[in-house]
Each structure stands twice: as structure tokens, then as C-alpha cells.
Amino acid sequence: MAVFVALGAFLMTLAGGWTAQRVTDRRHLVLGLAGGLMLGVVGLDLLPEALRAAGTEVFGVPAALLLFVGGFLLAHLVERLLAARRAAHGAADHDHQRAPEVGLTAAAAMVGHSAMDGVAIGAAFQVGGGMGLAVALAVIAHDFADGFNTFTLTSLYGNARRKAVAMLFADALAPVLGAASTAFLAIPEWFLGGYLGLFGGVLLYLAAAEILPEAHHEHPAHTTLLCTVAGTAFIWLVVGLAG
């Protein structure tokens, strides 16, 4: 049952990626929307769940928040190291000379997050059918944003379209495989909370330092800002309905 429900997440993820591909002639609007979706996912979905699941404190600070900050700094460090390596090989470090590896790494993190979503579906069905359906609806609802962001992130960093499509399909399959894996393993809640905190920090860095500045670089329009607000509001709506 969990795997069958996860197929809904598979289809919704593909729908999000397909939408991102179809509106490439409005790239600044796509990036503005992606930034808003990512901000909403981090602030309204991932971080609250991380704080709930990883409730322990380290020197007066919740462990999930420490990992959140660590994820932000890790993403910044990786991008700077890759940029320095490209510069050493003769590539200029301009806004439009981003390292493709960053896009692939970010997309891979999205795939990992989707796999965890599948695990959450499977674990919830082990608790009960009602709980499983509630969690599945929440996952399916925001997998559209996951697919949209996975394709956008991969493409933004200069990767070929076939790589972006490949990462999109990997992201779509991940929740199905994650749900199937629950028949063989159980992930501790504290580990899941820590992972969500770390991943949230990485995602926020990419949204704030990369996607949103790029969205306004060539087309500083009010419509781009509205797309960002709309993306955040959409995630708020999804979280509210799922709750």
C-alpha cells in the first residue's frame, strides 16, 4: 500500500519538472517561483519537522538548528571551493560561470530528501492506515515543488538538459524506493531530524545566495517578486491543508 501511494509522489514530481521545462522562455519567473518554493519548504516544512524530530540541545541550541546552520555553511564552502578550482583552471568566477557540480550535488540532495519522504510514508503506514494516508497526502502535495526545484537547480548551474531530466526521474523514483525500503529497515527519528536540518540549511543557501539573485539579475521585475511570494504562499497552503 505504501509503495502504491508513493507512485502518486512519483507522478507529482514529474509534473513539477515538466512544468519547469515548459516555461523556460520566462526563466526569471521560473527562478523567482523556485526560490519562493524552496524558502517555503525550508521555513514552513523542513525546519519545523527537524526541530520536532531532533529535540535534543547542544550547548543550549537545538541540534536541528546547529545542523541547519552547518548545512548553510557547508553549501557555501563547497561552492567557493568549486569556484576556486574552476578559477585555477582558467574559468572566470562570474555569476554565470557556476560550477555544474553544485547543481548536481543540490539535485542529489533533493533526491535524498525525496527518498526520506518515501521512508516517512512507509513508516506512517506501519503505524496505521489513516496516519499513512495523511503523511502520503502531505508528501504528494509538495513533491510538485520538489520536481520543479530539482530540474531548475540542475539546469541553473549549466548542466545539460539530459542530466536535468535524469535527476528529475531519480527524484521521482526516490519516494517509491524509500517507501519500499521500510519493509527492511527503520530510520531513527533523531537521525531523520538531523538530516532535515542539514538539508534545510543547504536549500536555504541555494535559494538566497544563488536562485533569487539570478532571478532578479537580468529581469528585476515586480512579477518575479510576486512569483517568489506565490511560491512561499503555495507551500504554506500545502502545509496547512496537510496539517
Side-chain angles (χ1 to χ4, degrees), residues 141-167:
H142 84 250
D143 270 351
F144 178 88
D146 285 351
F148 190 99
N149 289 334
T150 297
F151 185 88
T152 302
L153 280 170
T154 310
S155 301
L156 176 64
Y157 284 83
N159 290 287
R161 183 178 180 275
R162 60 182 177 79
K163 290 186 178 181
V165 171
M167 294 307 298

Side-chain angles (χ1 to χ4, degrees), residues 3 6 29 53 79 81 97 110 129 151 154 174 178 180 211:
V3 175
L29 299 181
E79 189 195 29
L81 288 176
Q97 293 291 332
M110 295 295 295
F151 185 88
T154 310
I211 289 184

Side-chain angles (χ1 to χ4, degrees), residues 42 46-48 50-52 54-58 60-73 193-194 196-198 200-201:
V42 171
L46 294 183
L47 200 51
L51 288 169
R52 185 194 66 79
T56 58
E57 291 190 355
V58 179
V61 178
L65 287 183
L66 287 175
L67 287 166
F68 174 76
V69 174
F72 189 98
L73 294 175
L196 291 176
L198 185 71

Side-chain angles (χ1 to χ4, degrees), residues 38-201:
M38 292 168 70
L39 175 61
V41 167
V42 171
L44 306 178
D45 186 17
L46 294 183
L47 200 51
E49 179 63 22
L51 288 169
R52 185 194 66 79
T56 58
E57 291 190 355
V58 179
F59 204 63
V61 178
L65 287 183
L66 287 175
L67 287 166
F68 174 76
V69 174
F72 189 98
L73 294 175
L74 177 64
H76 179 56
L77 175 64
V78 169
E79 189 195 29
R80 289 296 89 201
L81 288 176
L82 289 173
R85 191 183 72 175
R86 286 169 60 84
H89 287 80
D93 182 21
H94 297 144
D95 287 341
H96 299 286
Q97 293 291 332
R98 293 186 169 92
E101 298 92 338
V102 174
L104 291 175
T105 302
M110 295 295 295
V111 173
H113 170 56
S114 293
M116 290 294 187
D117 281 345
V119 170
I121 292 175
F125 269 102
Q126 291 179 6
V127 174
M131 174 67 73
L133 287 175
V135 171
L137 287 175
V139 169
I140 290 172
H142 84 250
D143 270 351
F144 178 88
D146 285 351
F148 190 99
N149 289 334
T150 297
F151 185 88
T152 302
L153 280 170
T154 310
S155 301
L156 176 64
Y157 284 83
N159 290 287
R161 183 178 180 275
R162 60 182 177 79
K163 290 186 178 181
V165 171
M167 294 307 298
L168 173 63
F169 270 92
D171 189 46
L173 283 171
V176 180
L177 298 177
S181 72
T182 57
F184 310 99
L185 57 88
I187 297 179
E189 190 175 35
W190 62 265
F191 178 84
L192 181 61
Y195 167 80
L196 291 176
L198 185 71
F199 176 63

